[in-house]
Amino acid sequence: MIQLYNYYRSSASYRVRIALHLKQIPFTYHAVNLREAKHKSEAFKAINSFQAVPYLIDGEVKISQSLAILDYLESLQPEPTLYPKDPALRAKALEIALSLICDLHPLNNLKVLNYLRENAKFNDEQIMAWMHHWFHKILAPLEEMISKNKQTRYALTNSVSIVELCLIPQLYNARRFEIDLSKYSTLKTVESICLELDAFQKALPESQPDYV
Ligand SMILES: N[C@@H](CCC(=O)N[C@@H](CS)C(=O)NCC(=O)O)C(=O)O
């Protein structure tokens, strides 16, 4: 059985949970409370020296980084696939996913916020200004890109892809930081269609055993 170390409101963990539920892969949930800094404990450091979640263990296989985990799950259980079949759409899906995983998420991550507060001495107002700046920098071009494609049910095709696995958790983070999403009607429509699906419901932060 796959072991997943994660935290209910970690957006990187949320991506992986959606994939596990979509692909109906059973897993054991291990909660790592980031708020209580359990990821920095010696016990967790011995499991994942990067001191972050998600972290997946499948027998001898041990993987950090959500994108690598998603790739592993795709190889284990190819259907339903996380990638469009068409090469151009597949590249587009990865382009969007990477803009969320690599360009946006690191800028609203706990360790970055802690650094801004503790080392750069940002106050709450400066933290919020930082958040607003970086969320809009990525969400605005995504809205523009995805709104041009009005023929499909999801962002790029008629099936869920890696795009939605990355987008929905970042919209969740955006709301946590009170980002005004009113300009992103296409992104919100994709989100509401996804949230009708069982896999997304099961992966929601509030559906997790460690949710508070
Ligand atoms: N790029 C990594 C990000 C992993 C990551 O930073 N996870 C966050 C939670 S979303 C974490 O564990 N943060 C701990 C910290 O910031 O100290 C991935 O996609 O898996």
Side-chain angles (χ1 to χ4, degrees):
M1 171 89 85
I2 282 182
Q3 312 292 312
L4 182 69
Y5 290 81
N6 77 136
Y7 183 50
Y8 75 96
R9 73 176 186 196
S10 144
S11 58
S13 302
Y14 190 176
R15 286 169 209 145
V16 170
R17 292 196 302 262
I18 300 169
L20 285 163
H21 289 299
L22 265 182
K23 290 176 176 291
Q24 300 191 347
I25 300 174
F27 64 100
T28 306
Y29 189 107
H30 297 275
V32 181
N33 190 324
L34 299 188
R35 247 186 111 186
E36 291 175 5
K38 293 285 192 250
H39 59 302
K40 294 185 183 161
S41 67
E42 286 306 315
F44 188 66
K45 203 172 160 190
I47 294 170
N48 177 14
S49 52
F50 286 109
Q51 298 173 276
V53 291
Y55 191 70
L56 179 140
I57 302 184
D58 185 18
E60 294 302 305
V61 178
K62 297 176 181 182
I63 321 171
S64 68
Q65 292 296 339
S66 58
L67 188 62
I69 296 174
L70 295 180
D71 191 66
Y72 177 70
L73 298 178
E74 179 77 5
S75 304
L76 273 189
Q77 174 71 55
E79 295 297 334
T81 179
L82 303 179
Y83 302 99
K85 297 239 179 320
D86 174 79
L89 286 175
R90 184 187 165 102
K92 184 56 71 184
L94 276 168
E95 177 191 353
I96 297 173
L98 290 171
S99 73
L100 292 160
I101 295 180
C102 304
D103 290 3
L104 177 55
H105 178 223
L107 297 167
N108 57 62
N109 206 339
L110 182 64
K111 55 173 107 52
V112 171
L113 291 192
N114 285 344
Y115 186 91
L116 291 175
R117 281 211 174 89
E118 289 156 22
N119 299 66
K121 305 294 175 203
F122 273 35
N123 59 30
D124 286 348
E125 201 181 315
Q126 289 168 312
I127 294 273
M128 288 314 273
W130 167 280
M131 288 296 172
H132 285 249
H133 176 79
W134 293 115
F135 267 103
H136 291 303
K137 203 89 185 146
I138 298 295
L139 295 183
L142 287 186
E143 171 71 22
E144 197 188 333
M145 189 187 278
I146 295 171
S147 66
K148 285 191 184 135
N149 170 27
K150 295 222 174 68
Q151 295 82 30
T152 60
R153 181 163 173 80
Y154 298 99
L156 291 179
T157 66
N158 288 321
S159 310
V160 166
S161 74
I162 193 165
V163 170
E164 288 78 23
L165 270 64
C166 297
L167 177 64
I168 283 36
Q170 282 308 299
L171 293 179
Y172 169 81
N173 271 4
R175 289 201 180 83
R176 272 186 61 206
F177 295 111
E178 297 170 12
I179 306 298
D180 175 10
L181 297 177
S182 57
K183 288 183 291 185
Y184 307 128
S185 58
T186 311
L187 302 184
K188 287 192 294 178
T189 302
V190 172
E191 179 189 39
S192 60
I193 295 172
C194 286
L195 291 176
E196 288 169 10
L197 300 175
D198 196 44
F200 283 77
Q201 283 294 323
K202 286 183 175 155
L204 281 171
E206 50 269 41
S207 306
Q208 307 316 309
D210 55 334
Y211 173 76
V212 278

